[in-house]
Amino acid sequence: MDTNTYERAGPAFIGRPFSEDAGKAVILCGWMDGHFKHVEKYAHFYRTNGYTAYILLSAYPDIAQASNQKEDIHHFNDVINHLEERNFLRSMNITQPTEPKATAVVHVFSNGGCIKLRHLLHSLHAQNKSLKSAAVILDSCPGSASAKSGASFLTVGLKNGPVRTVAKSSIFWFAFFARSVNWFFTRIGFPLYDISKHPIEVSAPHAVSQLNAKGNLTGPRLFLYSDADELCAMDEVQGRIEACKAEGIVTEEKLFIGSPHVKHAVVHKEEYWSLVSQFLSRHE
């Protein structure tokens, strides 16, 4: 799909519905370094069903910005203006007699998508606005800042199987040792690094919680994850699911078998989109 068929508003690619405009929007937060043509395939489903699609791509500089917590809160101004013009936002300063109908869906991919989502929510919060979100779909996320997932992420570009295995193992044990040392110094009151400030750890709550100080998403969550995901391991996602449930948020989940990271819609195409369609029909 050519990007020229999309409008631009700041960092967002905006695709109008193919069919009759249903007055609904989807915000797709792509995985880290995901190409437009790959994320756009998901937008195609929504545009076919009457949604305006907003594609936000994630890039490696987003990691550094989340790590030092110095994101540019004006980065999404054009996107926010576009959303507001189409009545997809609510003001946090105005008390309304009835809650406006939620008309937006947020579809997030991987930890990179969570990092991008956090930045967007912070920018909305700075303007005392929030998204009229009806539902949140979490594909292959959120994970945790673990040694295992980190080793997989850092070696994802290695195509040689044996080389990648050795590299993953080396990085894993180095990270495990570093975390053990950090744990010891933390116990005696001299932490070397606060893991809670890792980009993944500061971003994940914005996907699974409605109690964040700087921006929240409302609506039920659908977790789509796999037993074969090396970057966002099954047990890590399940930990996020339990946290979501503990907060009282309506939570649904599907554990796919055998599909790699952000490939569930490829390996299990019909089931994936059937689950998404049924979820949206129940909660929009």
Side-chain angles (χ1 to χ4, degrees):
M1 176 64 71
D2 190 343
T3 58
N4 291 330
T5 65
Y6 278 70
E7 300 175 49
R8 291 301 301 269
F13 296 88
I14 304 171
R16 299 290 184 175
F18 295 134
S19 56
E20 182 180 352
D21 192 335
K24 297 185 287 188
V26 61
I27 298 176
L28 299 124
C29 298
W31 55 94
M32 188 56 60
D33 204 32
H35 294 291
F36 172 84
K37 66 179 182 179
H38 297 139
V39 182
E40 198 280 331
K41 292 177 182 178
Y42 294 85
H44 192 276
F45 165 84
Y46 288 101
R47 295 176 71 189
T48 301
N49 287 281
Y51 290 77
T52 297
Y54 295 77
I55 297 176
L56 299 175
L57 301 179
S58 300
Y60 289 111
D62 296 333
I63 298 175
Q65 291 176 13
S67 181
N68 59 34
Q69 301 187 42
K70 292 182 179 179
E71 301 104 328
D72 176 9
I73 60 171
H74 302 294
H75 180 67
F76 293 103
N77 280 359
D78 291 341
V79 186
I80 292 171
N81 290 338
H82 197 282
L83 288 165
E84 190 162 40
E85 288 169 3
R86 293 182 57 80
N87 200 32
F88 293 132
L89 302 180
R90 62 169 66 89
S91 172
M92 295 188 295
N93 288 335
I94 301 174
T95 302
Q96 298 179 335
T98 58
E99 176 67 14
K101 179 177 174 58
T103 53
V105 173
V106 180
H107 200 137
V108 185
F109 302 90
S110 188
N111 292 322
C114 292
I115 290 172
K116 181 64 75 173
L117 173 65
R118 173 182 179 269
H119 190 179
L120 173 62
L121 293 180
H122 277 197
S123 298
L124 284 166
H125 184 269
Q127 297 186 29
N128 291 306
K129 297 180 176 70
S130 64
L131 192 67
K132 295 179 183 176
S133 50
V136 182
I137 298 168
L138 299 165
D139 183 324
S140 308
C141 66
S144 299
S146 67
K148 179 181 177 181
S149 294
S152 296
F153 175 74
L154 291 172
T155 58
V156 72
L158 297 177
K159 304 303 180 184
N160 185 299
V163 171
R164 185 171 187 238
T165 298
V166 172
K168 279 174 60 180
S169 179
S170 300
I171 294 171
F172 170 81
W173 287 112
F174 174 81
F176 180 81
F177 173 75
R179 291 191 68 166
S180 298
V181 171
N182 188 55
W183 176 86
F184 171 77
F185 279 96
T186 300
R187 293 280 292 180
I188 62 175
F190 299 99
L192 302 178
Y193 177 70
D194 184 357
I195 197 66
S196 68
K197 294 181 180 179
H198 189 282
I200 293 175
E201 299 299 336
V202 298
S203 300
H206 290 77
V208 302
S209 174
Q210 295 177 176
L211 301 176
N212 299 290
K214 294 183 179 180
N216 291 286
L217 282 178
T218 55
R221 267 64 167 175
L222 172 62
F223 290 84
L224 302 169
Y225 62 110
S226 168
D227 66 340
D229 193 332
E230 294 185 356
L231 273 68
C232 288
M234 176 180 68
D235 60 322
E236 295 175 4
V237 177
Q238 288 173 338
R240 303 296 187 185
I241 292 172
E242 291 308 310
C244 200
K245 289 179 178 178
E247 203 170 292
I249 298 171
V250 174
T251 304
E252 300 182 26
E253 61 179 286
K254 172 61 182 180
L255 173 62
F256 291 107
I257 304 300
S259 46
H261 189 64
V262 294
K263 290 294 178 63
H264 316 316
V266 176
V267 179
H268 307 281
K269 182 177 180 179
E270 291 187 7
E271 185 178 13
Y272 184 99
W273 289 116
S274 176
L275 287 165
V276 170
S277 296
Q278 292 173 34
F279 177 71
L280 295 178
S281 69
R282 285 193 294 273
H283 299 294
E284 280 191 301

Coordinates of all heavy atoms in Angstrom, one line a residue, residues 23 43 76 80 96 136 140 150 156 172:
G23 N -18.2 6.6 11.6 CA -18.0 7.5 12.6 C -17.1 7.0 13.8 O -17.2 7.4 14.9
A43 N -4.6 -2.0 9.3 CA -5.5 -0.8 9.1 C -6.5 -1.2 8.0 O -7.7 -0.7 8.0 CB -4.7 0.4 8.6
F76 N 2.5 15.2 19.0 CA 1.2 14.7 18.5 C 0.2 15.8 18.3 O -1.0 15.5 18.1 CB 0.7 13.6 19.4 CG 1.5 12.4 19.4 CD1 2.3 12.1 20.5 CD2 1.4 11.5 18.3 CE1 3.0 10.9 20.5 CE2 2.2 10.3 18.4 CZ 3.0 10.0 19.5
I80 N -3.7 15.2 17.5 CA -4.7 15.5 18.5 C -5.8 16.4 17.9 O -7.0 16.2 18.1 CB -4.1 16.1 19.7 CG1 -3.2 15.0 20.4 CG2 -5.1 16.7 20.6 CD1 -2.4 15.5 21.6
Q96 N -19.8 16.5 31.8 CA -20.9 16.3 31.0 C -22.0 15.5 31.7 O -21.7 14.6 32.4 CB -20.5 15.7 29.6 CG -19.5 16.5 28.9 CD -19.1 15.8 27.6 OE1 -19.1 14.6 27.5 NE2 -18.6 16.6 26.6
V136 N -9.6 -1.9 23.7 CA -8.1 -1.9 23.5 C -7.7 -3.3 23.2 O -8.0 -4.2 23.9 CB -7.4 -1.4 24.8 CG1 -5.9 -1.4 24.5 CG2 -7.9 0.0 25.2
S140 N 0.7 -9.3 21.2 CA 2.1 -9.6 21.6 C 2.6 -8.6 22.6 O 3.8 -8.2 22.5 CB 3.0 -9.6 20.3 OG 2.4 -10.4 19.3
G150 N 14.9 -9.6 26.6 CA 15.9 -8.6 26.1 C 17.0 -9.2 25.2 O 17.3 -8.6 24.2
V156 N 17.4 -10.1 17.3 CA 16.4 -10.4 16.4 C 16.8 -10.3 14.9 O 16.3 -10.9 14.0 CB 15.1 -9.5 16.7 CG1 15.4 -8.1 16.2 CG2 13.9 -10.1 16.0
F172 N 21.9 -13.2 27.5 CA 21.1 -13.5 28.7 C 21.8 -13.7 30.0 O 21.5 -13.1 31.0 CB 20.4 -14.9 28.4 CG 19.6 -15.5 29.6 CD1 18.4 -15.0 29.9 CD2 20.3 -16.4 30.3 CE1 17.7 -15.5 31.0 CE2 19.6 -17.0 31.4 CZ 18.3 -16.5 31.8

